[in-house]
Amino acid sequence: MPSSYDLLLRQGRLLRPNGDLNTVDIGITAGTIAAIAPHLDASAPLELEVEGQLISPPFVESHIHLDSALTAGEPRWNESGTLFEGIEIWRERKQDLSLDDVKRRALETLKQQAMQGVLYVRSHADVSEANLMALQGLLEVREAVKDWITLQVIAFPQDGIYGGPQNEELLEEALKLGADGVGGIPHYELTREDGVRSVQRIFELAQQYDRLIDIHCDEIDDDQSRFLEVVAACAIRTGMGPRVSASHTTAFGSYNNAYALKLLGFLRRTQINFIANPLINITLQGRTDTYPKRRGLTRVKELWQQGMNVSLGHDCVQDPWYSLGTGNMLDVAFMLIHVAQMTGMSEMNACYDMITWNGAKTLHLGETYGIEVGKPANLIVLDACNRYDALRRRATVRYVISRGNLIASTETPQMKWQPLTS
Ligand code: FE2
């Protein structure tokens, strides 16, 4: 007698972690992957024919600011396009924050991402405003969406831990309220010494409260911005490396090669994670250059070649720093291919891995991530035959399955050629 499942996927091309593709049926029951086989003699109330389409683990958004998402143009546009004008505009906009405002925009952005296959998101929450509105809003959203998307919240002191009299206290309060991780912005502290001290304080807090670390590190073109070495030193001394992420590190792209090579050796010892945000890095950085104009991206290719874990994020979706973006991780990886010149086939495949498995490693998701029997049924189906095809065409995510439920489906747009009639 045939088995019965809640949901069946028929004849999709299952992407394995090593890049292999196997044509399989997948049976899902009670939110769990119950069976994977070349053919399942089974039935289900919902059967999806996905022949020839790519079945992939969900996309992972490693770095976004949901508290500022969807505020572009409020109260004004960032005309200079710089990080620092963005910070000024956000400082004005956040005076009007309310819980409802934060939650509404965060939820809308998460829905947009989920519909495009993102089921794991790490968001920073600005904790340098007195009432911690952004943090509280995102913590409430984290709870509200937990049945269909996993949200991680990092307490992020946008104005620096030592940039205001209460910021250090607010950061610690955010951890007490339940933030998943500690953030920082050492290159935006008032002095270099404050920057070093801020990194050390972040590690202390992470150890004290047993949290992850994700530091906005050296997000500037200044080749003398060298807080990544401080992060590396703290990671080596504490042994916390795999729980630590260095976001942006764009100055790494401007370091001289002698220093960069030495630093790479230190970094290999740390096992820290790197998060690049190519959409915004290529638009925000290089703004003070005339020509030649730098790309302002961290050394993604070299980090990847050295075996470091690199994952990717949007950073921003329609906010004072980046007014574009739809939440589609394929756009992010596509931009990386160009900016980091990752155009070899193995390099392009690696870029796909950066928005899936590598992101899962950055977020410390552990064994729950991936498509295997016994794991939670979180997967996506793309209208593509492999990773390269998905990236080249920024393929439509046809189905999104979260916790065993079909939560979104999208029809692939069809182009129709109209022959000229004489
Ligand atoms: Fe950021």
Side-chain angles (χ1 to χ4, degrees):
M1 186 174 152
S3 308
S4 175
Y5 300 102
D6 297 340
L7 197 162
L8 266 169
L9 290 117
R10 294 285 194 194
Q11 297 301 289
R13 289 162 64 86
L14 175 60
L15 176 63
R16 303 285 190 181
N18 65 0
D20 285 353
L21 291 163
N22 304 124
T23 297
V24 295
D25 289 352
I26 298 179
I28 293 168
T29 296
T32 301
I33 296 172
I36 302 175
H39 176 74
L40 289 171
D41 183 16
S43 63
L46 180 58
E47 295 194 23
L48 302 175
E49 298 293 339
V50 295
E51 187 174 352
Q53 300 189 325
L54 186 67
I55 301 178
S56 166
F59 295 137
V60 180
E61 166 64 77
S62 291
H63 185 127
I64 194 169
H65 295 255
L66 290 173
D67 52 355
S68 58
L70 312 185
T71 63
E74 301 172 9
R76 58 193 168 87
W77 288 92
N78 183 341
E79 295 294 347
S80 71
T82 59
L83 172 73
F84 301 111
E85 186 175 347
I87 292 175
E88 287 301 319
I89 294 172
W90 177 239
R91 195 173 284 148
E92 294 167 34
R93 176 59 174 81
K94 72 187 178 186
Q95 306 308 317
D96 298 330
L97 282 188
S98 69
L99 264 186
D100 282 350
D101 172 36
V102 172
K103 286 160 64 178
R104 179 182 52 78
R105 289 181 291 95
L107 193 58
E108 178 59 29
T109 309
L110 287 172
K111 275 188 188 163
Q112 288 294 327
Q113 292 217 277
M115 287 191 288
Q116 297 175 91
V118 180
L119 292 182
Y120 303 93
V121 173
R122 173 179 284 181
S123 175
H124 294 258
D126 184 357
V127 295
S128 45
E129 38 92 24
N131 49 19
L132 293 178
M133 195 71 77
L135 178 92
Q136 298 200 43
L138 292 192
L139 292 180
E140 286 187 27
V141 169
R142 181 180 70 183
E143 180 64 22
V145 302
K146 67 179 185 200
D147 290 338
W148 52 274
I149 197 166
T150 300
L151 174 61
Q152 228 173 50
V153 180
I154 305 292
F156 171 53
Q158 173 76 74
D159 298 334
I161 298 178
Y162 304 110
Q166 291 185 319
N167 291 6
E168 184 179 7
E169 202 180 312
L170 286 166
L171 177 60
E172 187 163 1
E173 180 62 22
L175 300 178
K176 289 177 183 165
L177 288 171
D180 299 288
V182 199
I185 186 164
H187 59 280
Y188 194 60
E189 296 286 352
L190 293 169
T191 66
R192 176 180 161 75
E193 289 71 20
D194 282 356
V196 172
R197 192 157 63 104
S198 77
V199 173
Q200 291 164 342
R201 183 68 183 134
I202 290 162
F203 274 80
E204 281 171 12
L205 286 168
Q207 288 184 303
Q208 185 181 342
Y209 290 90
D210 190 25
R211 303 296 156 86
L212 300 170
I213 291 174
D214 190 332
I215 300 175
H216 282 65
C217 192
D218 302 317
E219 187 188 1
I220 190 167
D221 290 317
D222 177 9
D223 65 350
Q224 294 303 311
S225 184
R226 294 185 172 182
F227 296 103
L228 181 53
E229 67 180 22
V230 184
V231 172
C234 289
I236 289 169
R237 287 171 190 147
T238 61
M240 288 184 69
R243 292 170 64 82
V244 176
S245 297
S247 282
H248 293 294
T249 62
T250 56
F252 201 173
S254 293
Y255 297 157
N256 67 70
N257 284 338
Y259 175 71
L261 201 64
K262 179 194 78 168
L263 185 59
L264 268 174
F266 292 165
L267 293 170
R268 266 205 314 273
R269 291 167 55 194
T270 66
Q271 298 179 54
I272 66 171
N273 308 289
F274 286 82
I275 302 169
N277 299 287
L279 290 170
I280 196 162
N281 294 151
I282 193 67
T283 50
L284 269 190
Q285 304 303 314
R287 287 277 173 169
T288 57
D289 293 351
T290 53
Y291 292 92
K293 197 181 263 295
R294 283 170 287 182
R295 295 174 185 226
L297 189 78
T298 193
R299 299 194 185 206
V300 170
K301 187 181 288 197
E302 290 75 12
L303 289 165
W304 167 68
Q305 287 170 337
Q306 295 288 327
M308 307 289 298
N309 188 52
V310 182
S311 64
L312 307 179
H314 274 81
D315 199 16
C316 301
V317 173
Q318 290 181 271
D319 75 4
W321 295 275
Y322 186 71
S323 58
L324 305 169
T326 66
N328 184 343
M329 292 307 296
L330 290 171
D331 286 345
V332 178
F334 189 75
M335 180 61 79
L336 178 72
I337 290 170
H338 291 76
V339 181
Q341 299 180 327
M342 299 275 286
T343 50
M345 185 54 70
S346 62
E347 292 170 345
M348 287 193 282
N349 285 335
C351 292
Y352 188 93
D353 295 347
M354 290 178 193
I355 56 174
T356 49
W357 283 282
N358 295 18
K361 192 172 176 188
T362 296
L363 267 61
H364 231 65
L365 297 178
E367 291 303 309
T368 58
Y369 186 82
I371 303 175
E372 290 174 38
V373 173
K375 290 193 174 186
N378 299 319
L379 57 87
I380 60 177
V381 179
L382 293 111
D383 186 15
C385 60
N386 56 35
R387 289 175 287 181
Y388 157 65
D389 189 33
L391 287 165
R392 186 184 72 82
R393 296 187 295 111
R394 272 89 78 221
T396 301
V397 177
R398 290 279 290 113
Y399 299 111
V400 181
I401 293 167
S402 175
R403 286 69 163 160
N405 300 307
L406 177 65
I407 63 163
S409 58
T410 305
E411 295 294 327
T412 303
Q414 297 292 321
M415 285 187 279
K416 193 174 174 192
W417 176 251
Q418 298 281 5
L420 295 174
T421 51
S422 56

